[in-house]
Amino acid sequence: MSQIQVIKVTKETMKKMQTFYEKHRLNKTVPYSEFVARIGNTTITAYTSGKVVFQGSDAEKIAAKWGSSLKTNKKTSSSSKKTTTLPANFSKLSVLGSDEVGNGSYFGPVTVCAAYVDKTMVEKLKALGVRDSKELTDPQIIQLSKVVKELIPYKLLIVEPEKYNQIQPKYNAVHMKVALHNQAIHLLLRDIEPIKPEAILIDQFTPETNYKKYVRSEKNQVSETLSFITKGEQYHVAVAAASIISRAAFLEELDKESAELGMKVPSGAGATSDKVAAKVIAKGGLDLLSKYVKLHFANTEKAKKIAAK
């Protein structure tokens, strides 16, 4: 059973938590968060508002170290979050999986990858170390991505910040991800024809009903049956491969931005992003900033205030 605990901490306590969990931080971006870390089976997500969410078997125990819960302990079966029931042998099937990276990061693009893993390749990829990208270091992800892309069919879509800012007024964050997942899957299915995957699994980022609502407006709507499940990389290596390729592309784009701007560009949407954005504004104004960040994030207004001092 999974527990959820939410506490509110001061800025001073938040700094202590950042230091304490530094070695346990995950390569994961969550909107308006300071950091995401994992201790054993418990995930800690700290938000800029001061709220910290603990989720996992030891949530209550770990949260108690830092403060009192804002709400009563909530126990949920992990299966209650799933909108898809997968067969017991799912991990051994030939599956097309998709995942995305960058949606919660102020700097950098949104990257979405669809990857097809034939059942004959499942064990080989696992032996290479293909697993949840959050369990790998950035250098490992970049190196592993190069190997994986030589072994399996995939389709990678990259929406640079400048393009993102043009699309964003029409597409909210969820709608944009739905469109990108659908397009990546559509293009990969076309590339691997006449092969038909035994299943298509999307790492779930919104309820299935919501996905279907947004995808209706897409030109190349995938008609095949889709499965949705959170932490999809735990259920099939195809999603793990898609996650690694997406993450590597995101990291490589951040490196390009850093080189172009002459300063280290961070991932995430914390205070460091505000400070770097302020330097970009000082260098070339909002016109320059718009080429490197997702302007609708609250970070933009914060950066403008810092730059004005």
Side-chain angles (χ1 to χ4, degrees), residues 64-99:
K65 295 179 181 178
W66 302 103
S68 301
S69 177
L70 294 179
K71 61 182 181 180
T72 56
N73 180 45
K74 179 182 178 184
K75 290 187 177 181
T76 58
S77 168
S78 58
S79 61
S80 68
K81 295 183 180 180
K82 303 171 188 174
T83 57
T84 301
T85 300
L86 303 175
N89 67 332
F90 187 83
S91 65
K92 298 179 181 179
L93 300 180
S94 296
V95 171
L96 187 156
S98 68
D99 199 4

Side-chain angles (χ1 to χ4, degrees), residues 151-195:
L151 295 175
I152 61 172
Y154 70 95
K155 182 60 66 173
L156 174 66
L157 302 180
I158 301 175
V159 181
E160 301 286 0
E162 195 167 16
K163 182 65 174 178
Y164 179 99
N165 293 325
Q166 294 171 5
I167 300 172
Q168 190 273 324
K170 180 181 177 182
Y171 283 72
N172 63 37
V174 175
H175 190 176
M176 192 181 299
K177 285 198 288 186
V178 169
L180 291 170
H181 275 266
N182 178 77
Q183 183 68 354
I185 293 169
H186 163 73
L187 293 173
L188 184 55
L189 285 172
R190 189 180 65 184
D191 287 351
I192 65 175
E193 286 181 345
I195 296 172

Side-chain angles (χ1 to χ4, degrees), residues 18-38:
Q18 286 179 314
T19 301
F20 185 84
Y21 292 117
E22 181 62 34
K23 294 182 180 180
H24 303 281
R25 292 180 69 156
L26 303 179
N27 292 319
K28 181 177 182 180
T29 54
V30 174
Y32 312 113
S33 70
E34 294 289 338
F35 68 87
V36 181
R38 179 175 294 154

